Amino acid sequence: MRQKLNHLLVKPIAKFVQVESFGGILLFSAAVIALIWANSPLSNSYAALWHYEIGFSFGDFHLSHHLLHWVNDGLMVIFFFVIGLEIKREILLGELNSLKKASLPIFAALGGVFVPIGIFLALNANPETHAGWGIPMATDIAFSLAILQLLGKRVPIALKIFLTAFAIVDDLVAVLAIALFYSSNIDWNAILYSLIPLAILAYLGWKGYYYKYVYLALGIAIWFLFLTSGIHPTIAGILIALTVPIKQKSEMNFSMSKIESIATSLINRPKSNSPILSHEEINLIGSIQSLSGRVQSPLQHLEHKFHGWVAYFIMPVFALSNAGIVFNDVAHLDFALSSHIAVALIFGKCIGVVSFSYLAVKLGIAAFPSSAKFKHILGIGFLAGVGFTMSIFVSNLAFKNSLMYQDAAKVGIFIGSTIAGLVGYFILKSMKPSAEDAEQVEDAH
């Protein structure tokens, strides 16, 4: 039973953490490179690269944007698509599939959203920067899990599951905030048109049908309509992900027996010294691939396929393109805005996560993760203050007409995320691992 539990739960979580952790290291490296590049003698090339115009024309139609715009409104749609897949999986099968399981991550996430917003608004007296209220509400799961991974056996696997579920709820709230409060001049006709392909995908997903080229074509159409509508196109990524079926409408037993039959015939074929497959062997292998595609979960397949791209490429490129703050203009920065964001990330996140988690436990509607102590939750509360990716993303939307405020916000995000991450790391480092935790982590590897 224990071995089965490790196979179904511990190993997948360990693999997820490993991907996110290395992705966090790449993310940090990309941010450092961006800062050095933007403040080096080659700073002009940094600005020129991300402001390079890229587009295409088709008849009278013309679409052209800066490279930075394509990263934030194009590549980041895939990032949000993966978030949408994770949200759906957790709601249907994971740590959010029942009220009892979901209560602690939901309470922690709500505390980690509302308390930082409250602190930011209480500190901020400048009406021009009030739009930045959404910046300190998000947690960067890649960075926070990377820090947890550095701690190894000192952190219970249940705590990593809690952080993952909490961050997914946190992302969901951030996405809703972007859709409702950081979208302007909405073209409702474009939104209405986008509902047609979205409805088709929702129907296919409900019936359990998955055709990747249909999803790709309709997904691009939905993204384009959102791009022209005024609602941020990353929301399209979330909505498309929610239509992906978790399982296909197929005869599982029939397909598996067919695969077994084909595999047996391949094994029993006369041995050949030729490195080239025969036409019959190629056809048999093609049949196995086709049948396996019918039985695998589309949601799981897409999440697995895109997760590495997001962690290892998209997020580092986002950091490289957005983290290049020019410090020779430091005299023009709004240090009040920077400090308010930093304080909200460091203290707001921790106070919110810890107090709301404690409240949920005291009310009897939730329990701390197994092997976790209150000090673990305190450490996680500080790690939740590592905002970075989503915080920078929101800052670009909040202050899209002011580069000065964008840079000030990013300075606050850097300072707040760094301090919060270090405090969380040292709190959790002071904890001693239990024998059971150490054994679970060892089994996962």
Side-chain angles (χ1 to χ4, degrees):
M1 179 66 184
R2 184 188 181 113
Q3 206 170 19
K4 187 176 180 182
L5 181 64
N6 283 337
H7 177 72
L8 293 176
L9 181 62
V10 178
K11 287 187 178 180
I13 289 293
K15 186 176 181 181
F16 176 84
V17 169
Q18 188 177 19
V19 172
E20 291 289 353
S21 299
F22 186 61
I25 294 169
L26 287 178
L27 194 62
F28 177 75
S29 302
V32 171
I33 291 170
L35 284 170
I36 295 172
W37 188 359
N39 291 277
S40 73
L42 300 173
S43 59
N44 288 338
S45 65
Y46 179 85
L49 172 64
W50 301 114
H51 286 87
Y52 185 79
E53 195 86 6
I54 297 177
F56 61 90
S57 299
F58 185 76
D60 295 331
F61 176 78
H62 179 71
L63 182 63
S64 180
H65 291 292
H66 293 153
L67 182 56
L68 179 63
H69 191 280
W70 286 116
V71 170
N72 291 342
D73 289 6
L75 276 183
M76 288 300 283
V77 173
I78 302 174
F79 167 73
F80 279 85
F81 176 72
V82 174
I83 285 178
L85 293 175
E86 291 173 352
I87 290 170
K88 183 168 183 176
R89 171 176 49 79
E90 290 295 323
I91 289 174
L92 295 178
L93 301 173
E95 291 300 302
L96 305 176
N97 72 337
S98 69
L99 184 61
K100 186 175 181 181
K101 279 186 180 181
S103 55
L104 188 64
I106 288 174
F107 265 75
L110 292 177
V113 167
F114 291 119
V115 175
I117 290 174
I119 289 177
F120 175 83
L121 292 176
L123 294 174
N124 186 36
N126 182 2
E128 292 184 3
T129 57
H130 279 173
W133 59 265
I135 296 171
M137 70 178 178
T139 296
D140 192 309
I141 189 171
F143 264 143
S144 53
L145 281 176
I147 294 170
L148 280 187
Q149 189 72 352
L150 292 174
L151 293 162
K153 298 175 183 179
R154 294 178 183 275
V155 180
I157 193 73
L159 204 65
K160 296 176 182 178
I161 296 171
F162 165 70
L163 176 61
T164 302
F166 150 74
I168 287 172
V169 176
D170 192 272
D171 282 341
L172 178 58
V173 177
V175 166
L176 290 173
I178 291 169
L180 296 174
F181 302 105
Y182 289 106
S183 299
S184 58
N185 301 321
I186 298 172
D187 181 351
W188 290 106
N189 286 330
I191 294 298
L192 288 173
Y193 288 138
S194 73
L195 294 179
I196 298 171
L198 192 61
I200 294 172
L201 291 184
Y203 177 78
L204 291 174
W206 177 55
K207 288 294 186 178
Y209 295 115
Y210 173 71
Y211 309 103
K212 61 181 179 182
Y213 294 114
V214 172
Y215 264 82
L216 178 62
L218 294 181
I220 291 173
I222 294 166
W223 167 79
F224 176 75
L225 288 166
F226 268 77
L227 184 67
T228 59
S229 72
I231 292 182
H232 203 273
T234 51
I235 303 302
I238 294 282
L239 295 175
I240 295 166
L242 295 179
T243 68
V244 175
I246 199 156
K247 66 176 182 178
Q248 298 186 64
K249 189 174 184 179
S250 63
E251 292 293 333
M252 171 71 81
N253 293 335
F254 172 78
S255 297
M256 292 303 291
S257 63
K258 193 74 175 171
I259 290 172
E260 186 178 0
S261 173
I262 296 171
T264 303
S265 66
L266 272 172
I267 293 169
N268 294 332
R269 286 182 62 79
K271 305 300 179 188
S272 171
N273 293 326
S274 174
I276 305 298
L277 295 174
S278 68
H279 288 295
E280 187 178 354
E281 287 171 332
I282 291 172
N283 290 333
L284 288 171
I285 291 171
S287 298
I288 290 176
Q289 290 175 334
S290 176
L291 287 166
S292 64
R294 293 182 198 173
V295 297
Q296 65 184 346
S297 163
L299 186 147
Q300 185 182 40
H301 171 70
L302 288 172
E303 189 178 352
H304 176 75
K305 186 174 183 178
F306 284 110
H307 199 76
W309 280 101
V310 167
Y312 299 152
F313 176 70
I314 292 173
M315 290 174 70
V317 168
F318 173 80
L320 185 65
S321 61
N322 285 273
I325 304 167
V326 181
F327 286 110
N328 57 15
D329 292 335
V330 72
H332 302 290
L333 288 178
D334 186 329
F335 286 105
L337 175 61
S338 300
S339 62
H340 298 159
I341 290 172
V343 169
L345 282 171
I346 299 165
F347 298 105
K349 273 289 187 182
C350 180
I351 293 171
V353 170
V354 173
S355 61
F356 275 57
S357 296
Y358 183 77
L359 179 65
V361 172
K362 281 297 180 184
L363 289 175
I365 58 177
F368 284 148
S370 58
S371 305
K373 300 176 182 177
F374 182 78
K375 195 174 179 182
H376 282 123
I377 303 299
L378 181 65
I380 291 294
F382 277 106
L383 289 188
V386 180
F388 204 74
T389 306
M390 191 72 84
S391 295
I392 290 177
F393 190 83
V394 174
S395 73
N396 291 339
L397 299 178
F399 304 121
K400 58 185 175 183
N401 297 321
S402 174
L403 186 60
M404 179 185 73
Y405 286 145
Q406 278 187 31
D407 286 346
K410 289 172 185 177
V411 169
I413 292 165
F414 276 119
I415 294 172
S417 296
T418 301
I419 294 174
L422 287 172
V423 174
Y425 171 81
F426 284 113
I427 288 175
L428 293 172
K429 189 179 180 182
S430 67
M431 304 290 290
K432 291 183 178 179
S434 67
E436 184 181 354
D437 297 332
E439 187 180 343
Q440 272 195 335
V441 174
E442 202 64 44
D443 288 343
H445 292 290

